[in-house]
Amino acid sequence: MTTFRPAGPRPSRNVRSRPLPTPDTHRINSRIIAREVRVIDDAGGQLGIFPLREAIELAEGRELDLVEVAPEAKPPVCRIMDYGKFKYREQKKEAEARKKRSESTMKEIRLRYRTDVGDLETKLKHAREFLQGGEKVKFSMRFKGREVMYLGLGQEKFESISQRLADIAQVEEKSPLAGRSIHIVLAPAKAK
């Protein structure tokens, strides 16, 4: 027995036609599930405990929303407010907090234990620029094959780098030999 299939491409089963909306963090108006609620007016004064329908009507009478602010309380606490303005203020606060939060990035500079003077000067110049820009700098050195015997030369090179950048940087982390590589992390020095 054959079944009838319409002509054309088969619809995919795993694709959503549109993204799901993100749920609001607060329940408002008819989304509140409690039977009775403690109501706080838009000025901050307590109005008392009301059945949900009366509380919503009270908010609609003032042309505002009833917003559940403490759902775990017995009975839940709801506030009469303009929810659109409330969400706008929250977004502004989050944006301001993001702006004030400083994210420091780390730049990595790779070198060898036998990096010559000219190349080392260039790498130090780049490191100085990164440190003055407020970023951390990670110098990493990898040893291949029998080069592990020259671990001491690599550590001496790191010592000279940290001494040459001591005016603007401080050593934040020094690693012991981890596998076949070592590294040192320099952070911008704190202003005195």
Side-chain angles (χ1 to χ4, degrees):
M1 179 179 244
T2 59
T3 57
F4 174 73
R5 260 190 215 163
R10 267 181 117 170
S12 175
R13 295 179 187 195
N14 296 332
V15 178
R16 289 186 183 146
S17 60
R18 60 178 183 232
L20 295 174
T22 56
D24 282 335
T25 55
H26 301 93
R27 292 188 190 121
I28 61 170
N29 298 330
S30 61
R31 293 187 180 157
I32 300 171
I33 56 176
R35 290 191 177 154
E36 59 180 21
V37 293
R38 182 178 305 274
V39 179
I40 299 174
D41 67 356
D42 49 333
Q46 285 199 28
L47 299 179
I49 298 173
F50 290 93
L52 181 62
R53 178 84 332 253
E54 284 183 36
I56 291 174
E57 288 172 2
L58 188 64
E60 286 174 353
R62 297 180 184 194
E63 296 181 0
L64 296 171
D65 299 306
L66 186 69
V67 181
E68 189 176 47
V69 292
E72 65 279 343
K74 299 286 183 203
V77 178
C78 294
R79 186 177 190 128
I80 296 174
M81 67 172 81
D82 186 348
Y83 190 63
K85 284 183 182 178
F86 174 71
K87 289 283 285 184
Y88 177 75
R89 285 192 201 116
E90 276 190 346
Q91 288 173 350
K92 283 293 189 185
K93 285 179 188 176
E94 288 174 16
E96 195 66 31
R98 272 195 306 271
K99 197 184 299 182
K100 289 181 181 178
R101 186 173 55 215
S102 65
E103 295 181 19
S104 72
T105 57
M106 187 178 305
K107 300 288 187 172
E108 183 174 3
I109 298 177
R110 295 180 184 159
L111 54 114
R112 307 288 303 217
Y113 71 93
R114 59 177 185 238
T115 301
D116 207 11
V117 177
D119 292 336
L120 185 62
E121 290 298 324
T122 303
K123 291 177 187 285
L124 286 173
K125 185 177 101 179
H126 289 303
R128 191 172 287 276
E129 289 172 8
F130 295 144
L131 289 164
Q132 288 171 343
E135 297 171 315
K136 295 179 182 180
V137 178
K138 176 181 180 179
F139 286 95
S140 60
M141 192 176 299
R142 188 174 169 107
F143 298 94
K144 297 179 182 174
R146 294 183 183 175
E147 290 179 351
V148 177
M149 296 185 325
Y150 301 108
L151 180 65
L153 294 175
Q155 290 173 335
E156 286 175 19
K157 182 129 343 215
F158 281 164
E159 277 300 316
S160 73
I161 288 171
S162 62
Q163 287 173 1
R164 291 178 67 180
L165 295 174
D167 58 327
I168 61 165
Q170 59 191 15
V171 176
E172 188 174 88
E173 177 186 340
K174 260 186 181 176
S175 76
L177 179 66
R180 294 186 162 271
S181 62
I182 57 175
H183 70 268
I184 186 172
V185 176
L186 300 175
K190 303 285 186 227
K192 293 178 183 176

